[in-house]
PDB file of all heavy atoms in Angstrom:
ATOM      1  N   ILE A 118     -28.871  17.779  11.356  1.00 92.00           N
ATOM      2  CA  ILE A 118     -28.394  18.154  12.691  1.00 92.00           C
ATOM      3  C   ILE A 118     -27.961  19.625  12.744  1.00 92.00           C
ATOM      4  O   ILE A 118     -27.790  20.172  13.825  1.00 92.00           O
ATOM      5  CB  ILE A 118     -27.234  17.244  13.176  1.00 92.00           C
ATOM      6  CG1 ILE A 118     -26.029  17.335  12.232  1.00 92.00           C
ATOM      7  CG2 ILE A 118     -27.695  15.820  13.348  1.00 92.00           C
ATOM      8  CD1 ILE A 118     -24.780  16.658  12.760  1.00 92.00           C
ATOM      9  N   PHE A 119     -27.822  20.269  11.590  1.00 93.00           N
ATOM     10  CA  PHE A 119     -27.438  21.689  11.545  1.00 93.00           C
ATOM     11  C   PHE A 119     -28.634  22.621  11.779  1.00 93.00           C
ATOM     12  O   PHE A 119     -28.440  23.817  11.988  1.00 93.00           O
ATOM     13  CB  PHE A 119     -26.831  22.051  10.184  1.00 93.00           C
ATOM     14  CG  PHE A 119     -25.560  21.328   9.842  1.00 93.00           C
ATOM     15  CD1 PHE A 119     -25.195  21.179   8.514  1.00 93.00           C
ATOM     16  CD2 PHE A 119     -24.711  20.814  10.813  1.00 93.00           C
ATOM     17  CE1 PHE A 119     -24.011  20.534   8.168  1.00 93.00           C
ATOM     18  CE2 PHE A 119     -23.537  20.164  10.478  1.00 93.00           C
ATOM     19  CZ  PHE A 119     -23.183  20.032   9.146  1.00 93.00           C
ATOM     20  N   LYS A 120     -29.875  22.107  11.719  1.00 93.00           N
ATOM     21  CA  LYS A 120     -31.066  22.956  11.758  1.00 93.00           C
ATOM     22  C   LYS A 120     -31.100  23.937  12.926  1.00 93.00           C
ATOM     23  O   LYS A 120     -31.492  25.085  12.755  1.00 93.00           O
ATOM     24  CB  LYS A 120     -32.335  22.100  11.767  1.00 93.00           C
ATOM     25  CG  LYS A 120     -32.672  21.526  10.424  1.00 93.00           C
ATOM     26  CD  LYS A 120     -33.993  20.779  10.483  1.00 93.00           C
ATOM     27  CE  LYS A 120     -34.356  20.251   9.117  1.00 93.00           C
ATOM     28  NZ  LYS A 120     -35.630  19.552   9.115  1.00 93.00           N
ATOM     29  N   ASP A 121     -30.699  23.484  14.111  1.00 91.00           N
ATOM     30  CA  ASP A 121     -30.759  24.359  15.285  1.00 91.00           C
ATOM     31  C   ASP A 121     -29.766  25.514  15.221  1.00 91.00           C
ATOM     32  O   ASP A 121     -29.922  26.506  15.928  1.00 91.00           O
ATOM     33  CB  ASP A 121     -30.523  23.553  16.568  1.00 91.00           C
ATOM     34  CG  ASP A 121     -31.689  22.618  16.863  1.00 91.00           C
ATOM     35  OD1 ASP A 121     -32.808  22.870  16.358  1.00 91.00           O
ATOM     36  OD2 ASP A 121     -31.476  21.630  17.585  1.00 91.00           O
ATOM     37  N   ALA A 122     -28.769  25.411  14.374  1.00 91.00           N
ATOM     38  CA  ALA A 122     -27.734  26.446  14.285  1.00 91.00           C
ATOM     39  C   ALA A 122     -28.063  27.546  13.273  1.00 91.00           C
ATOM     40  O   ALA A 122     -27.387  28.565  13.247  1.00 91.00           O
ATOM     41  CB  ALA A 122     -26.394  25.815  13.923  1.00 91.00           C
ATOM     42  N   TYR A 123     -29.096  27.332  12.452  1.00 92.00           N
ATOM     43  CA  TYR A 123     -29.394  28.281  11.389  1.00 92.00           C
ATOM     44  C   TYR A 123     -30.872  28.660  11.400  1.00 92.00           C
ATOM     45  O   TYR A 123     -31.736  27.771  11.362  1.00 92.00           O
ATOM     46  CB  TYR A 123     -29.012  27.689  10.028  1.00 92.00           C
ATOM     47  CG  TYR A 123     -27.543  27.381   9.945  1.00 92.00           C
ATOM     48  CD1 TYR A 123     -27.060  26.105  10.207  1.00 92.00           C
ATOM     49  CD2 TYR A 123     -26.628  28.384   9.651  1.00 92.00           C
ATOM     50  CE1 TYR A 123     -25.701  25.828  10.164  1.00 92.00           C
ATOM     51  CE2 TYR A 123     -25.270  28.118   9.603  1.00 92.00           C
ATOM     52  CZ  TYR A 123     -24.810  26.844   9.862  1.00 92.00           C
ATOM     53  OH  TYR A 123     -23.464  26.569   9.828  1.00 92.00           O
ATOM     54  N   PRO A 124     -31.179  29.962  11.411  1.00 90.00           N
ATOM     55  CA  PRO A 124     -32.583  30.407  11.455  1.00 90.00           C
ATOM     56  C   PRO A 124     -33.447  29.856  10.320  1.00 90.00           C
ATOM     57  O   PRO A 124     -34.598  29.496  10.545  1.00 90.00           O
ATOM     58  CB  PRO A 124     -32.477  31.928  11.369  1.00 90.00           C
ATOM     59  CG  PRO A 124     -31.115  32.246  11.880  1.00 90.00           C
ATOM     60  CD  PRO A 124     -30.253  31.080  11.484  1.00 90.00           C
ATOM     61  N   GLU A 125     -32.898  29.776   9.114  1.00 91.00           N
ATOM     62  CA  GLU A 125     -33.684  29.267   7.986  1.00 91.00           C
ATOM     63  C   GLU A 125     -33.818  27.748   7.993  1.00 91.00           C
ATOM     64  O   GLU A 125     -34.569  27.188   7.203  1.00 91.00           O
ATOM     65  CB  GLU A 125     -33.082  29.732   6.654  1.00 91.00           C
ATOM     66  CG  GLU A 125     -33.281  31.202   6.393  1.00 91.00           C
ATOM     67  CD  GLU A 125     -32.855  31.615   4.995  1.00 91.00           C
ATOM     68  OE1 GLU A 125     -32.678  30.743   4.105  1.00 91.00           O
ATOM     69  OE2 GLU A 125     -32.698  32.831   4.788  1.00 91.00           O
ATOM     70  N   LYS A 126     -33.032  27.073   8.858  1.00 93.00           N
ATOM     71  CA  LYS A 126     -33.066  25.619   9.007  1.00 93.00           C
ATOM     72  C   LYS A 126     -32.880  24.893   7.676  1.00 93.00           C
ATOM     73  O   LYS A 126     -33.480  23.873   7.398  1.00 93.00           O
ATOM     74  CB  LYS A 126     -34.349  25.170   9.698  1.00 93.00           C
ATOM     75  CG  LYS A 126     -34.512  25.828  11.069  1.00 93.00           C
ATOM     76  CD  LYS A 126     -35.549  25.162  11.886  1.00 93.00           C
ATOM     77  CE  LYS A 126     -35.732  25.790  13.232  1.00 93.00           C
ATOM     78  NZ  LYS A 126     -34.562  25.925  14.065  1.00 93.00           N
ATOM     79  N   SER A 127     -31.985  25.460   6.854  1.00 95.00           N
ATOM     80  CA  SER A 127     -31.759  24.915   5.520  1.00 95.00           C
ATOM     81  C   SER A 127     -30.391  25.344   5.002  1.00 95.00           C
ATOM     82  O   SER A 127     -29.812  26.324   5.481  1.00 95.00           O
ATOM     83  CB  SER A 127     -32.846  25.443   4.578  1.00 95.00           C
ATOM     84  OG  SER A 127     -32.518  25.206   3.229  1.00 95.00           O
ATOM     85  N   TYR A 128     -29.940  24.646   3.984  1.00 96.00           N
ATOM     86  CA  TYR A 128     -28.686  24.987   3.322  1.00 96.00           C
ATOM     87  C   TYR A 128     -28.745  26.356   2.651  1.00 96.00           C
ATOM     88  O   TYR A 128     -27.724  26.934   2.287  1.00 96.00           O
ATOM     89  CB  TYR A 128     -28.283  23.914   2.311  1.00 96.00           C
ATOM     90  CG  TYR A 128     -29.213  23.833   1.116  1.00 96.00           C
ATOM     91  CD1 TYR A 128     -28.934  24.540  -0.041  1.00 96.00           C
ATOM     92  CD2 TYR A 128     -30.366  23.059   1.156  1.00 96.00           C
ATOM     93  CE1 TYR A 128     -29.781  24.484  -1.130  1.00 96.00           C
ATOM     94  CE2 TYR A 128     -31.205  22.987   0.076  1.00 96.00           C
ATOM     95  CZ  TYR A 128     -30.925  23.701  -1.071  1.00 96.00           C
ATOM     96  OH  TYR A 128     -31.765  23.643  -2.142  1.00 96.00           O
ATOM     97  N   THR A 129     -29.949  26.894   2.492  1.00 97.00           N
ATOM     98  CA  THR A 129     -30.112  28.214   1.881  1.00 97.00           C
ATOM     99  C   THR A 129     -29.841  29.353   2.857  1.00 97.00           C
ATOM    100  O   THR A 129     -29.784  30.510   2.444  1.00 97.00           O
ATOM    101  CB  THR A 129     -31.534  28.374   1.309  1.00 97.00           C
ATOM    102  OG1 THR A 129     -32.478  28.214   2.380  1.00 97.00           O
ATOM    103  CG2 THR A 129     -31.806  27.346   0.218  1.00 97.00           C
ATOM    104  N   ASP A 130     -29.663  29.042   4.142  1.00 97.00           N
ATOM    105  CA  ASP A 130     -29.380  30.080   5.135  1.00 97.00           C
ATOM    106  C   ASP A 130     -28.072  30.782   4.751  1.00 97.00           C
ATOM    107  O   ASP A 130     -27.073  30.115   4.481  1.00 97.00           O
ATOM    108  CB  ASP A 130     -29.249  29.460   6.528  1.00 97.00           C
ATOM    109  CG  ASP A 130     -29.239  30.504   7.623  1.00 97.00           C
ATOM    110  OD1 ASP A 130     -28.291  31.321   7.641  1.00 97.00           O
ATOM    111  OD2 ASP A 130     -30.158  30.508   8.441  1.00 97.00           O
ATOM    112  N   PRO A 131     -28.063  32.112   4.713  1.00 96.00           N
ATOM    113  CA  PRO A 131     -26.852  32.836   4.306  1.00 96.00           C
ATOM    114  C   PRO A 131     -25.648  32.590   5.226  1.00 96.00           C
ATOM    115  O   PRO A 131     -24.506  32.787   4.804  1.00 96.00           O
ATOM    116  CB  PRO A 131     -27.257  34.302   4.360  1.00 96.00           C
ATOM    117  CG  PRO A 131     -28.709  34.354   4.582  1.00 96.00           C
ATOM    118  CD  PRO A 131     -29.184  32.998   4.963  1.00 96.00           C
TER     119      PRO A 131
END
Side-chain angles (χ1 to χ4, degrees):
I118 60 170
F119 297 156
K120 284 184 178 181
D121 291 338
Y123 299 96
E125 289 188 16
K126 303 194 180 305
S127 167
Y128 68 93
T129 60
D130 192 296

